[in-house]
Amino acid sequence: MTATEDEQQGPTPAAVNAMLEREFPGTGNVCAALGATHALARSDIQAGALRPGGFISGPTQFGLADAALWYLVFGAIGRIEPMALTSELSIRFLRPAQGSVLWARATLESAGRRNVVGSVRVWCDDREHKPSATAQGTYVLPT
Amino acid sequence: MTATEDEQQGPTPAAVNAMLEREFPGTGNVCAALGATHALARSDIQAGALRPGGFISGPTQFGLADAALWYLVFGAIGRIEPMALTSELSIRFLRPAQGSVLWARATLESAGRRNVVGSVRVWCDDREHKPSATAQGTYVLPT
Amino acid sequence: MTATEDEQQGPTPAAVNAMLEREFPGTGNVCAALGATHALARSDIQAGALRPGGFISGPTQFGLADAALWYLVFGAIGRIEPMALTSELSIRFLRPAQGSVLWARATLESAGRRNVVGSVRVWCDDREHKPSATAQGTYVLPT
Amino acid sequence: MTATEDEQQGPTPAAVNAMLEREFPGTGNVCAALGATHALARSDIQAGALRPGGFISGPTQFGLADAALWYLVFGAIGRIEPMALTSELSIRFLRPAQGSVLWARATLESAGRRNVVGSVRVWCDDREHKPSATAQGTYVLPT
């Protein structure tokens, strides 16, 4: 399957963002790309949200990693399911996060009937090769 | 060592909160108790911060668990060290978090020269026996 | 509820060990205590199993932590359920593990219809106050 | 850099396996491929090591994931450093593991002066696309 076909078969980023604006206004997280096995989330960092030294906080990075995994669930199961919930997530902080845009890319590890497991890389601006954090986690689907 | 002695030998919650207000204004997280082997963090939840259904978000819970571990580092090493950084943290969400005050209690597992490891329980209002999340993580000390 | 009542209402360590010998011979892990909210596992370390320097390996410690969580599931749900499976487990190694007996104590964080979450402390001989590892994890129950 | 150059610049699998046989005989884990950003570990599963139903146990999978990360450290830092130690590792079990050969592939997330962080996929036989487990963890280097 090509990336283009992959994108076409499930929810689009625009559909996810419309749901986010309707149901979860104010998070600042945006779905930038979505497929059956990957999702890309972005957040424009407000100057007021930075820690001393200009660093993006750990919880902000956690929040975007968690959002990317959530979008990945939508792509993996082929529908927008807002009631999918984080079951567990482990995150490792690798280097200071400084920049104006924070990115998180989630990659599918496994999708089952009840759970979706994925890995997430978090970075700033165009430095995907120098991630600020890496995470892995599980979403549980409503039954 | 009694709890009272434990509190007396290290930084007080008031000293931690003074640092927070000076260096990290606006997080809304407060140190409510602190000793060499435990720390208690609280956050008064603003109605506007709630998710649909009145739920406290996962990243908010992660943020308070992370804050409690950070305060625990201060108690464990006996000084306020703002440059202690989260190395890794894993969190499990156990049940929906609903309430007006969120609490997180961190308990020391190990304190070394370079790392402090602790466990954290997160809950709402007076329901410590019904935690909304549980976490474990590592802080690294500056060298 | 007293510890004694707690022990009386669920499976006994002897019943767990009989199942282990019948179904999983040769692991060397033993259930030493069991209640609705805690379980204690032990393993007599064979000299041949030690790493250079006399250290107990990380996977051996992981295995006993995992076993303690499994026994805890039996206590928490009130029956021996061999088909309960580890969903995820995170472990932190705190100091070298040296000794002739390895212990792991699991404490219940949450028991639901589908999942049991617990924390585990691992140590050698009588040094429970100097743990070699600490872990947290989730078991999933068969449906 | 091509994969071949990548392999040439650091320790070879043969050098790692010679160290393993000399220092850690009997684990049954083998280094099958090694580069600066990846490592592949394999273990031939003995029939006697299987759980009822023919399943490879969780601790066995944890052990091979941990070994793959250890080999990755050697590739990432460019030398065989047996005293690199697991700091923390989180593992998620995705489906039953059945087969005669267990594989674990570790991929580098970050290599610093003190820590190496990587992700690991575990699978049986030729089913890399159907992993039995996925993990992420940190090794700490001796100072």
Side-chain angles (χ1 to χ4, degrees):
Chain A
M1 178 164 41
T2 68
T4 308
E5 287 170 337
D6 182 44
E7 300 268 354
Q8 287 172 343
Q9 294 178 358
T12 62
V16 172
N17 291 326
M19 180 276 288
L20 294 176
E21 283 172 32
R22 196 172 57 239
E23 305 278 349
F24 302 89
T27 71
N29 298 336
V30 172
C31 179
L34 186 60
T37 61
H38 69 275
L40 181 65
R42 75 171 275 165
S43 179
D44 296 327
I45 302 298
Q46 308 298 321
L50 296 178
R51 293 283 169 83
F55 299 109
I56 301 170
S57 79
T60 297
Q61 295 182 65
F62 175 92
L64 194 67
D66 186 49
L69 267 181
W70 194 39
Y71 308 156
L72 175 62
V73 170
F74 306 159
I77 68 175
R79 68 178 191 277
I80 296 176
E81 174 51 79
M83 291 312 295
L85 298 174
T86 314
S87 170
E88 57 83 27
L89 203 154
S90 69
I91 188 165
R92 288 135 190 102
F93 296 99
L94 305 173
R95 55 172 62 81
Q98 288 178 293
S100 56
V101 179
L102 190 69
W103 297 93
R105 184 186 302 280
T107 305
L108 187 69
E109 301 290 348
S110 173
R113 191 170 47 88
R114 285 170 27 170
N115 292 313
V116 173
V117 175
S119 298
V120 191
R121 172 171 283 207
V122 181
W123 71 94
C124 291
D125 298 337
D126 59 351
R127 299 189 298 278
E128 185 165 3
H129 60 294
K130 288 192 177 291
S132 59
T134 185
Q136 234 176 34
T138 306
Y139 262 76
V140 61
L141 304 175
T143 50
Chain B
M1 178 165 40
T2 67
T4 307
E5 287 170 337
D6 182 45
E7 300 268 353
Q8 288 171 341
Q9 295 177 359
T12 62
V16 172
N17 291 326
M19 181 276 288
L20 294 176
E21 284 173 31
R22 195 172 59 238
E23 305 278 349
F24 302 89
T27 72
N29 297 336
V30 172
C31 179
L34 186 60
T37 60
H38 69 274
L40 181 65
R42 74 171 275 165
S43 179
D44 295 328
I45 301 298
Q46 308 298 321
L50 295 178
R51 293 283 170 81
F55 299 110
I56 301 169
S57 78
T60 297
Q61 295 181 65
F62 175 92
L64 195 67
D66 186 49
L69 268 181
W70 194 38
Y71 308 156
L72 175 64
V73 171
F74 306 158
I77 68 176
R79 68 176 191 280
I80 296 177
E81 174 51 79
M83 290 312 295
L85 297 174
T86 314
S87 170
E88 58 82 27
L89 203 154
S90 70
I91 188 165
R92 288 136 191 101
F93 296 99
L94 305 173
R95 55 171 63 81
Q98 288 179 293
S100 56
V101 180
L102 190 69
W103 297 93
R105 184 187 303 281
T107 305
L108 187 70
E109 300 291 347
S110 172
R113 190 171 48 87
R114 286 170 25 171
N115 293 314
V116 172
V117 175
S119 297
V120 191
R121 172 171 284 206
V122 181
W123 71 95
C124 291
D125 297 337
D126 60 351
R127 299 190 297 278
E128 185 166 4
H129 61 292
K130 287 192 178 291
S132 59
T134 185
Q136 236 177 31
T138 306
Y139 262 75
V140 61
L141 304 175
T143 50
Chain C
M1 178 165 42
T2 67
T4 307
E5 287 171 337
D6 182 43
E7 301 267 355
Q8 288 171 342
Q9 293 177 1
T12 62
V16 172
N17 291 326
M19 182 277 288
L20 294 176
E21 284 172 32
R22 194 172 60 239
E23 305 278 349
F24 302 89
T27 73
N29 298 336
V30 172
C31 180
L34 186 60
T37 61
H38 69 276
L40 181 65
R42 75 171 276 166
S43 178
D44 295 328
I45 302 298
Q46 308 298 321
L50 296 178
R51 293 285 168 83
F55 299 111
I56 301 170
S57 79
T60 297
Q61 296 182 64
F62 175 91
L64 194 67
D66 185 49
L69 267 181
W70 193 39
Y71 309 155
L72 175 64
V73 170
F74 306 158
I77 67 175
R79 68 176 191 279
I80 295 176
E81 174 51 78
M83 291 311 295
L85 297 173
T86 315
S87 171
E88 57 82 28
L89 203 155
S90 70
I91 188 166
R92 288 134 191 103
F93 296 99
L94 305 174
R95 54 173 62 81
Q98 288 179 291
S100 56
V101 179
L102 190 69
W103 298 92
R105 184 186 303 280
T107 305
L108 187 69
E109 300 290 347
S110 172
R113 189 170 48 86
R114 286 170 27 170
N115 293 313
V116 172
V117 175
S119 297
V120 191
R121 172 170 284 207
V122 181
W123 70 94
C124 291
D125 298 336
D126 60 350
R127 298 191 297 279
E128 185 166 3
H129 60 294
K130 288 192 178 291
S132 57
T134 184
Q136 233 176 35
T138 306
Y139 261 75
V140 60
L141 304 175
T143 50
Chain D
M1 178 165 42
T2 67
T4 309
E5 286 171 337
D6 182 45
E7 300 268 354
Q8 287 172 343
Q9 294 179 359
T12 62
V16 172
N17 291 326
M19 181 277 289
L20 294 176
E21 283 172 33
R22 195 172 59 238
E23 305 278 349
F24 302 90
T27 72
N29 298 336
V30 172
C31 180
L34 186 60
T37 60
H38 70 275
L40 181 65
R42 74 171 276 165
S43 179
D44 295 327
I45 302 299
Q46 308 297 323
L50 296 177
R51 294 283 170 82
F55 299 110
I56 301 170
S57 79
T60 297
Q61 295 182 65
F62 175 92
L64 194 67
D66 185 49
L69 268 181
W70 194 40
Y71 308 156
L72 175 63
V73 171
F74 306 158
I77 68 174
R79 67 176 192 279
I80 295 176
E81 174 52 77
M83 291 311 294
L85 298 174
T86 314
S87 169
E88 57 82 27
L89 204 154
S90 69
I91 189 166
R92 288 138 191 99
F93 296 99
L94 304 174
R95 54 172 64 80
Q98 288 179 293
S100 56
V101 180
L102 189 68
W103 298 93
R105 184 187 302 281
T107 304
L108 187 69
E109 300 291 346
S110 172
R113 190 170 48 87
R114 287 172 23 172
N115 292 314
V116 173
V117 174
S119 297
V120 191
R121 173 171 284 205
V122 181
W123 71 95
C124 291
D125 298 336
D126 60 351
R127 299 191 297 279
E128 184 166 3
H129 60 293
K130 288 193 177 289
S132 58
T134 185
Q136 235 177 32
T138 306
Y139 262 76
V140 61
L141 303 175
T143 50

